[in-house]
Amino acid sequence: MPFVPKKQAFNAHINEVVIGVGEKATTIGGQNVLPFHTFDAEIKNAPKIGVELTDLGMAEYTMPGMQAFYAGCESVVDMAKKAETMEGASFICLHFEGADPNGLNKSVEECVELAKAVAEAVTMPIVIMGCKNIDKDTELFNKIADALQGKNILVLSARDENYKQVGASVALACGHKVGAESAVDINLAKQLNTVMTQLGVSGQSIVMNVGSAAAGYGYEYVASTLDRIKDAALKQADGMLQMPIMTPVSADTWGVKEAVMPEADMPEWGNQEERGIEMEITTAAAVLAGGSDAVILRHPASVKTISEMIAALM
């Protein structure tokens, strides 16, 4: 007798969250099967890829492949326009590293002006990342959300320390989407989603950022967390874990030694840029297979490769 596999589609599903406006608005989530299990049921929305652009501009893009792609760009706005043409990209992530009080300490006003300029220059959805300083990010997110009303942006991220301020200003007052950031723990992720919905933020306005790590750097904790969240969301129909997941892969992978160590110092490791690309691709593929609904990448080669992987598996 021929083997007929039993299909495993679930009555529960991941929430659909729409970011952006117009023809290039994109939907994250919506599936009722495990990642890439197209043999169980049709997956409504394929995973999405965002392109990270730091507010520090071309100074941070030292790899030859990145410099070649952004050749001629004199500002972050120019880079954003170019990023829109990147094969496989669905949204732009504007990362305000320069706002860090322990770094360049760029003013909130300067950051808001940059966000407005990028939003006016591109038609792709915009995701905003801060500098990881709670006080600075809270003020920054509030001001950017107000300045970009009507753009339906996603702000990453509200955390346990500031979810009330960020949730109220970003989602409730301005109608944007908000990220719920926790530290690689299913219980913390669920708790944050719960208190944000109690605040009044709709589950269709929340995207989870459950934490990440570059492959080989404690990634097993990320893998187990993703697995447990997707199981709870689909198999157990846990409504507080059915928000889609977005993982900022580039922020981790381009900071580990494999990506930053010059070839001159470690010739046996091979080309530095290739190492960084491989680390970014490996980590992105892993989090997507684990259940992330969107990833944020930096290198054009990584974006192209991961988009081809997604297309092949869909």
Side-chain angles (χ1 to χ4, degrees):
M1 293 179 62
F3 171 69
V4 180
K6 183 179 179 180
K7 293 184 180 296
Q8 190 181 31
F10 304 98
N11 292 325
H13 65 276
I14 303 302
N15 296 344
E16 288 186 307
V17 176
V18 179
I19 59 174
V21 293
E23 294 182 355
K24 291 190 178 180
T26 191
T27 303
I28 302 170
Q31 70 272 23
N32 68 329
V33 294
L34 294 174
F36 298 116
H37 282 218
T38 52
F39 43 81
D40 284 333
E42 180 183 358
I43 295 179
K44 190 173 181 181
N45 302 303
K48 301 301 191 294
I49 304 172
V51 181
E52 181 202 28
L53 294 175
T54 172
D55 64 330
L56 302 179
M58 288 297 295
E60 288 294 292
Y61 293 75
T62 58
M63 296 295 103
M66 295 182 189
Q67 291 181 334
F69 181 82
Y70 291 109
C73 294
E74 297 180 355
S75 66
V76 177
V77 174
D78 292 337
M79 295 175 68
K81 292 178 182 178
K82 185 67 175 178
E84 277 202 301
T85 69
M86 195 177 294
E87 181 180 351
S90 295
F91 61 91
I92 291 171
C93 174
L94 191 54
H95 186 183
F96 285 98
E97 292 182 286
D100 188 354
N102 296 314
L104 294 180
N105 196 25
K106 290 187 177 182
S107 70
V108 169
E109 291 73 23
E110 182 180 357
C111 295
V112 170
E113 287 305 311
L114 176 58
K116 287 169 62 177
V118 170
E120 291 169 1
V122 301
T123 56
M124 270 188 176
I126 294 175
V127 172
I128 300 294
M129 284 178 62
C131 62
K132 299 298 184 181
N133 179 279
I134 290 293
D135 294 333
K136 189 67 170 286
D137 280 351
T138 301
E139 183 182 3
L140 180 63
F141 293 158
N142 293 350
K143 295 290 180 62
I144 288 180
D146 183 57
L148 299 189
Q149 289 196 52
K151 295 292 186 179
N152 192 27
I153 65 171
L154 168 64
V155 171
L156 283 179
S157 294
R159 292 190 273 177
D160 183 63
E161 299 91 337
N162 66 351
Y163 77 89
K164 290 183 179 178
Q165 300 95 319
V166 175
S169 64
V170 172
L172 300 182
C174 298
H176 299 300
K177 305 305 189 295
V178 62
E181 180 180 352
S182 52
V184 198
D185 185 297
I186 185 174
N187 296 312
L188 294 177
K190 180 174 180 177
Q191 178 183 340
L192 186 53
N193 289 339
T194 300
V195 295
M196 286 187 66
T197 54
Q198 290 173 347
L199 183 67
V201 180
S202 166
Q204 282 67 41
S205 293
I206 298 174
V207 172
M208 288 189 286
N209 172 10
V210 300
S212 180
Y217 287 82
Y219 182 78
E220 62 272 18
Y221 295 102
V222 178
S224 63
T225 300
L226 289 170
D227 285 344
R228 293 176 65 197
I229 288 175
K230 287 300 178 182
D231 277 354
L234 297 176
K235 296 179 181 179
Q236 301 170 29
D238 190 330
M240 289 298 101
L241 289 170
Q242 290 175 343
M243 293 72 171
I245 298 171
M246 179 178 290
T247 307
V249 171
S250 55
D252 288 301
T253 55
W254 286 98
V256 298
K257 63 177 182 286
E258 289 85 351
V260 300
M261 187 69 71
E263 188 174 358
D265 294 338
M266 295 294 290
E268 65 270 27
W269 284 8
N271 182 272
Q272 180 184 355
E273 182 171 23
E274 290 179 1
R275 283 186 261 122
I277 293 170
E278 289 168 3
M279 181 64 75
E280 190 168 41
I281 289 172
T282 300
T283 305
V287 298
L288 289 171
S292 186
D293 301 278
V295 290
I296 298 170
L297 307 177
R298 182 178 298 180
H299 201 288
S302 303
V303 174
K304 183 176 184 294
T305 301
I306 292 298
S307 67
E308 290 173 348
M309 184 201 82
I310 291 171
L313 293 175
M314 296 296 288

PDB file of all heavy atoms in Angstrom, residues 136-159:
ATOM      1  N   LYS A 136      16.249  56.616  26.396  1.00  0.00           N
ATOM      2  CA  LYS A 136      16.405  57.276  25.098  1.00  0.00           C
ATOM      3  C   LYS A 136      15.439  56.657  24.078  1.00  0.00           C
ATOM      4  O   LYS A 136      14.791  57.387  23.309  1.00  0.00           O
ATOM      5  CB  LYS A 136      17.852  57.134  24.614  1.00  0.00           C
ATOM      6  CG  LYS A 136      18.191  57.978  23.379  1.00  0.00           C
ATOM      7  CD  LYS A 136      18.163  59.467  23.698  1.00  0.00           C
ATOM      8  CE  LYS A 136      18.720  60.320  22.573  1.00  0.00           C
ATOM      9  NZ  LYS A 136      20.185  60.252  22.458  1.00  0.00           N
ATOM     10  N   ASP A 137      15.338  55.341  24.080  1.00  0.00           N
ATOM     11  CA  ASP A 137      14.442  54.687  23.131  1.00  0.00           C
ATOM     12  C   ASP A 137      12.986  55.058  23.362  1.00  0.00           C
ATOM     13  O   ASP A 137      12.228  55.254  22.416  1.00  0.00           O
ATOM     14  CB  ASP A 137      14.599  53.162  23.215  1.00  0.00           C
ATOM     15  CG  ASP A 137      15.810  52.653  22.456  1.00  0.00           C
ATOM     16  OD1 ASP A 137      16.432  53.447  21.723  1.00  0.00           O
ATOM     17  OD2 ASP A 137      16.129  51.458  22.584  1.00  0.00           O
ATOM     18  N   THR A 138      12.595  55.159  24.616  1.00  0.00           N
ATOM     19  CA  THR A 138      11.202  55.504  24.915  1.00  0.00           C
ATOM     20  C   THR A 138      10.844  56.860  24.324  1.00  0.00           C
ATOM     21  O   THR A 138       9.816  57.017  23.646  1.00  0.00           O
ATOM     22  CB  THR A 138      10.967  55.519  26.437  1.00  0.00           C
ATOM     23  OG1 THR A 138      11.271  54.229  26.981  1.00  0.00           O
ATOM     24  CG2 THR A 138       9.522  55.859  26.754  1.00  0.00           C
ATOM     25  N   GLU A 139      11.698  57.841  24.538  1.00  0.00           N
ATOM     26  CA  GLU A 139      11.459  59.173  23.983  1.00  0.00           C
ATOM     27  C   GLU A 139      11.526  59.145  22.460  1.00  0.00           C
ATOM     28  O   GLU A 139      10.687  59.750  21.765  1.00  0.00           O
ATOM     29  CB  GLU A 139      12.472  60.169  24.541  1.00  0.00           C
ATOM     30  CG  GLU A 139      12.240  61.599  24.047  1.00  0.00           C
ATOM     31  CD  GLU A 139      13.279  62.580  24.559  1.00  0.00           C
ATOM     32  OE1 GLU A 139      14.232  62.146  25.257  1.00  0.00           O
ATOM     33  OE2 GLU A 139      13.153  63.784  24.246  1.00  0.00           O
ATOM     34  N   LEU A 140      12.522  58.435  21.937  1.00  0.00           N
ATOM     35  CA  LEU A 140      12.712  58.360  20.489  1.00  0.00           C
ATOM     36  C   LEU A 140      11.504  57.723  19.808  1.00  0.00           C
ATOM     37  O   LEU A 140      10.991  58.250  18.810  1.00  0.00           O
ATOM     38  CB  LEU A 140      13.974  57.550  20.190  1.00  0.00           C
ATOM     39  CG  LEU A 140      14.352  57.357  18.718  1.00  0.00           C
ATOM     40  CD1 LEU A 140      14.665  58.689  18.069  1.00  0.00           C
ATOM     41  CD2 LEU A 140      15.539  56.410  18.611  1.00  0.00           C
ATOM     42  N   PHE A 141      11.041  56.605  20.332  1.00  0.00           N
ATOM     43  CA  PHE A 141       9.908  55.903  19.726  1.00  0.00           C
ATOM     44  C   PHE A 141       8.647  56.757  19.771  1.00  0.00           C
ATOM     45  O   PHE A 141       7.871  56.801  18.809  1.00  0.00           O
ATOM     46  CB  PHE A 141       9.669  54.578  20.444  1.00  0.00           C
ATOM     47  CG  PHE A 141      10.768  53.568  20.264  1.00  0.00           C
ATOM     48  CD1 PHE A 141      10.929  52.535  21.177  1.00  0.00           C
ATOM     49  CD2 PHE A 141      11.651  53.642  19.201  1.00  0.00           C
ATOM     50  CE1 PHE A 141      11.932  51.591  21.019  1.00  0.00           C
ATOM     51  CE2 PHE A 141      12.668  52.708  19.033  1.00  0.00           C
ATOM     52  CZ  PHE A 141      12.805  51.682  19.953  1.00  0.00           C
ATOM     53  N   ASN A 142       8.436  57.429  20.889  1.00  0.00           N
ATOM     54  CA  ASN A 142       7.247  58.278  21.012  1.00  0.00           C
ATOM     55  C   ASN A 142       7.251  59.386  19.958  1.00  0.00           C
ATOM     56  O   ASN A 142       6.234  59.642  19.299  1.00  0.00           O
ATOM     57  CB  ASN A 142       7.182  58.897  22.416  1.00  0.00           C
ATOM     58  CG  ASN A 142       6.935  57.874  23.505  1.00  0.00           C
ATOM     59  OD1 ASN A 142       6.635  56.717  23.227  1.00  0.00           O
ATOM     60  ND2 ASN A 142       7.070  58.292  24.749  1.00  0.00           N
ATOM     61  N   LYS A 143       8.407  60.041  19.794  1.00  0.00           N
ATOM     62  CA  LYS A 143       8.489  61.167  18.864  1.00  0.00           C
ATOM     63  C   LYS A 143       8.410  60.697  17.405  1.00  0.00           C
ATOM     64  O   LYS A 143       7.758  61.351  16.574  1.00  0.00           O
ATOM     65  CB  LYS A 143       9.804  61.937  19.107  1.00  0.00           C
ATOM     66  CG  LYS A 143       9.883  62.610  20.467  1.00  0.00           C
ATOM     67  CD  LYS A 143       8.922  63.779  20.581  1.00  0.00           C
ATOM     68  CE  LYS A 143       9.011  64.460  21.944  1.00  0.00           C
ATOM     69  NZ  LYS A 143      10.334  65.048  22.218  1.00  0.00           N
ATOM     70  N   ILE A 144       9.055  59.586  17.086  1.00  0.00           N
ATOM     71  CA  ILE A 144       9.008  59.079  15.709  1.00  0.00           C
ATOM     72  C   ILE A 144       7.600  58.605  15.364  1.00  0.00           C
ATOM     73  O   ILE A 144       7.097  58.859  14.256  1.00  0.00           O
ATOM     74  CB  ILE A 144      10.038  57.948  15.512  1.00  0.00           C
ATOM     75  CG1 ILE A 144      11.456  58.521  15.504  1.00  0.00           C
ATOM     76  CG2 ILE A 144       9.769  57.193  14.202  1.00  0.00           C
ATOM     77  CD1 ILE A 144      12.544  57.482  15.324  1.00  0.00           C
ATOM     78  N   ALA A 145       6.949  57.934  16.294  1.00  0.00           N
ATOM     79  CA  ALA A 145       5.585  57.467  16.047  1.00  0.00           C
ATOM     80  C   ALA A 145       4.663  58.636  15.738  1.00  0.00           C
ATOM     81  O   ALA A 145       3.816  58.564  14.837  1.00  0.00           O
ATOM     82  CB  ALA A 145       5.076  56.694  17.260  1.00  0.00           C
ATOM     83  N   ASP A 146       4.833  59.722  16.466  1.00  0.00           N
ATOM     84  CA  ASP A 146       4.000  60.901  16.235  1.00  0.00           C
ATOM     85  C   ASP A 146       4.327  61.546  14.894  1.00  0.00           C
ATOM     86  O   ASP A 146       3.431  61.953  14.149  1.00  0.00           O
ATOM     87  CB  ASP A 146       4.215  61.902  17.371  1.00  0.00           C
ATOM     88  CG  ASP A 146       3.314  63.128  17.235  1.00  0.00           C
ATOM     89  OD1 ASP A 146       2.086  62.963  17.175  1.00  0.00           O
ATOM     90  OD2 ASP A 146       3.858  64.250  17.170  1.00  0.00           O
ATOM     91  N   ALA A 147       5.604  61.611  14.555  1.00  0.00           N
ATOM     92  CA  ALA A 147       6.026  62.266  13.310  1.00  0.00           C
ATOM     93  C   ALA A 147       5.616  61.469  12.072  1.00  0.00           C
ATOM     94  O   ALA A 147       5.414  62.053  11.003  1.00  0.00           O
ATOM     95  CB  ALA A 147       7.543  62.476  13.315  1.00  0.00           C
ATOM     96  N   LEU A 148       5.495  60.148  12.205  1.00  0.00           N
ATOM     97  CA  LEU A 148       5.196  59.292  11.050  1.00  0.00           C
ATOM     98  C   LEU A 148       3.770  58.743  11.090  1.00  0.00           C
ATOM     99  O   LEU A 148       3.494  57.666  10.563  1.00  0.00           O
ATOM    100  CB  LEU A 148       6.196  58.135  10.974  1.00  0.00           C
ATOM    101  CG  LEU A 148       7.668  58.507  10.803  1.00  0.00           C
ATOM    102  CD1 LEU A 148       8.507  57.274  10.521  1.00  0.00           C
ATOM    103  CD2 LEU A 148       7.869  59.532   9.693  1.00  0.00           C
ATOM    104  N   GLN A 149       2.869  59.497  11.685  1.00  0.00           N
ATOM    105  CA  GLN A 149       1.470  59.063  11.696  1.00  0.00           C
ATOM    106  C   GLN A 149       0.976  58.877  10.272  1.00  0.00           C
ATOM    107  O   GLN A 149       1.256  59.687   9.385  1.00  0.00           O
ATOM    108  CB  GLN A 149       0.602  60.078  12.438  1.00  0.00           C
ATOM    109  CG  GLN A 149       0.828  60.089  13.939  1.00  0.00           C
ATOM    110  CD  GLN A 149      -0.269  60.795  14.702  1.00  0.00           C
ATOM    111  OE1 GLN A 149      -1.438  60.501  14.525  1.00  0.00           O
ATOM    112  NE2 GLN A 149       0.113  61.743  15.556  1.00  0.00           N
ATOM    113  N   GLY A 150       0.209  57.795  10.076  1.00  0.00           N
ATOM    114  CA  GLY A 150      -0.303  57.480   8.752  1.00  0.00           C
ATOM    115  C   GLY A 150       0.579  56.560   7.951  1.00  0.00           C
ATOM    116  O   GLY A 150       0.164  56.050   6.901  1.00  0.00           O
ATOM    117  N   LYS A 151       1.817  56.306   8.420  1.00  0.00           N
ATOM    118  CA  LYS A 151       2.755  55.441   7.688  1.00  0.00           C
ATOM    119  C   LYS A 151       2.666  53.972   8.123  1.00  0.00           C
ATOM    120  O   LYS A 151       3.234  53.103   7.473  1.00  0.00           O
ATOM    121  CB  LYS A 151       4.192  55.930   7.890  1.00  0.00           C
ATOM    122  CG  LYS A 151       4.473  57.308   7.293  1.00  0.00           C
ATOM    123  CD  LYS A 151       4.418  57.273   5.770  1.00  0.00           C
ATOM    124  CE  LYS A 151       4.845  58.599   5.172  1.00  0.00           C
ATOM    125  NZ  LYS A 151       4.820  58.581   3.679  1.00  0.00           N
ATOM    126  N   ASN A 152       1.959  53.709   9.217  1.00  0.00           N
ATOM    127  CA  ASN A 152       1.773  52.332   9.703  1.00  0.00           C
ATOM    128  C   ASN A 152       3.114  51.625   9.869  1.00  0.00           C
ATOM    129  O   ASN A 152       3.343  50.540   9.338  1.00  0.00           O
ATOM    130  CB  ASN A 152       0.869  51.539   8.753  1.00  0.00           C
ATOM    131  CG  ASN A 152       0.410  50.207   9.365  1.00  0.00           C
ATOM    132  OD1 ASN A 152       0.319  50.062  10.580  1.00  0.00           O
ATOM    133  ND2 ASN A 152       0.136  49.234   8.515  1.00  0.00           N
ATOM    134  N   ILE A 153       4.016  52.244  10.625  1.00  0.00           N
ATOM    135  CA  ILE A 153       5.336  51.670  10.857  1.00  0.00           C
ATOM    136  C   ILE A 153       5.267  50.620  11.965  1.00  0.00           C
ATOM    137  O   ILE A 153       4.266  50.497  12.678  1.00  0.00           O
ATOM    138  CB  ILE A 153       6.356  52.760  11.236  1.00  0.00           C
ATOM    139  CG1 ILE A 153       5.984  53.404  12.598  1.00  0.00           C
ATOM    140  CG2 ILE A 153       6.471  53.803  10.150  1.00  0.00           C
ATOM    141  CD1 ILE A 153       7.037  54.337  13.142  1.00  0.00           C
ATOM    142  N   LEU A 154       6.347  49.856  12.098  1.00  0.00           N
ATOM    143  CA  LEU A 154       6.519  48.941  13.223  1.00  0.00           C
ATOM    144  C   LEU A 154       7.683  49.436  14.050  1.00  0.00           C
ATOM    145  O   LEU A 154       8.775  49.677  13.512  1.00  0.00           O
ATOM    146  CB  LEU A 154       6.790  47.522  12.730  1.00  0.00           C
ATOM    147  CG  LEU A 154       7.276  46.510  13.778  1.00  0.00           C
ATOM    148  CD1 LEU A 154       6.224  46.271  14.852  1.00  0.00           C
ATOM    149  CD2 LEU A 154       7.681  45.198  13.119  1.00  0.00           C
ATOM    150  N   VAL A 155       7.468  49.607  15.341  1.00  0.00           N
ATOM    151  CA  VAL A 155       8.520  50.065  16.243  1.00  0.00           C
ATOM    152  C   VAL A 155       9.023  48.878  17.065  1.00  0.00           C
ATOM    153  O   VAL A 155       8.272  48.259  17.805  1.00  0.00           O
ATOM    154  CB  VAL A 155       8.004  51.180  17.177  1.00  0.00           C
ATOM    155  CG1 VAL A 155       9.037  51.494  18.241  1.00  0.00           C
ATOM    156  CG2 VAL A 155       7.669  52.431  16.385  1.00  0.00           C
ATOM    157  N   LEU A 156      10.307  48.557  16.906  1.00  0.00           N
ATOM    158  CA  LEU A 156      10.964  47.526  17.699  1.00  0.00           C
ATOM    159  C   LEU A 156      11.895  48.232  18.682  1.00  0.00           C
ATOM    160  O   LEU A 156      12.834  48.898  18.232  1.00  0.00           O
ATOM    161  CB  LEU A 156      11.797  46.599  16.814  1.00  0.00           C
ATOM    162  CG  LEU A 156      11.093  45.536  15.975  1.00  0.00           C
ATOM    163  CD1 LEU A 156      12.131  44.758  15.169  1.00  0.00           C
ATOM    164  CD2 LEU A 156      10.285  44.583  16.814  1.00  0.00           C
ATOM    165  N   SER A 157      11.707  48.165  19.932  1.00  0.00           N
ATOM    166  CA  SER A 157      10.766  47.282  20.578  1.00  0.00           C
ATOM    167  C   SER A 157      10.336  47.870  21.915  1.00  0.00           C
ATOM    168  O   SER A 157      11.074  48.628  22.535  1.00  0.00           O
ATOM    169  CB  SER A 157      11.377  45.922  20.850  1.00  0.00           C
ATOM    170  OG  SER A 157      11.692  45.209  19.678  1.00  0.00           O
ATOM    171  N   ALA A 158       9.129  47.457  22.332  1.00  0.00           N
ATOM    172  CA  ALA A 158       8.694  47.743  23.688  1.00  0.00           C
ATOM    173  C   ALA A 158       9.188  46.616  24.584  1.00  0.00           C
ATOM    174  O   ALA A 158       9.105  45.447  24.231  1.00  0.00           O
ATOM    175  CB  ALA A 158       7.168  47.834  23.736  1.00  0.00           C
ATOM    176  N   ARG A 159       9.725  46.988  25.729  1.00  0.00           N
ATOM    177  CA  ARG A 159      10.229  45.975  26.666  1.00  0.00           C
ATOM    178  C   ARG A 159       9.486  46.093  27.990  1.00  0.00           C
ATOM    179  O   ARG A 159       8.663  46.987  28.190  1.00  0.00           O
ATOM    180  CB  ARG A 159      11.733  46.157  26.858  1.00  0.00           C
ATOM    181  CG  ARG A 159      12.514  45.816  25.602  1.00  0.00           C
ATOM    182  CD  ARG A 159      14.006  45.768  25.871  1.00  0.00           C
ATOM    183  NE  ARG A 159      14.614  47.079  25.742  1.00  0.00           N
ATOM    184  CZ  ARG A 159      15.899  47.323  25.987  1.00  0.00           C
ATOM    185  NH1 ARG A 159      16.692  46.360  26.391  1.00  0.00           N
ATOM    186  NH2 ARG A 159      16.391  48.538  25.837  1.00  0.00           N
TER     187      ARG A 159
END
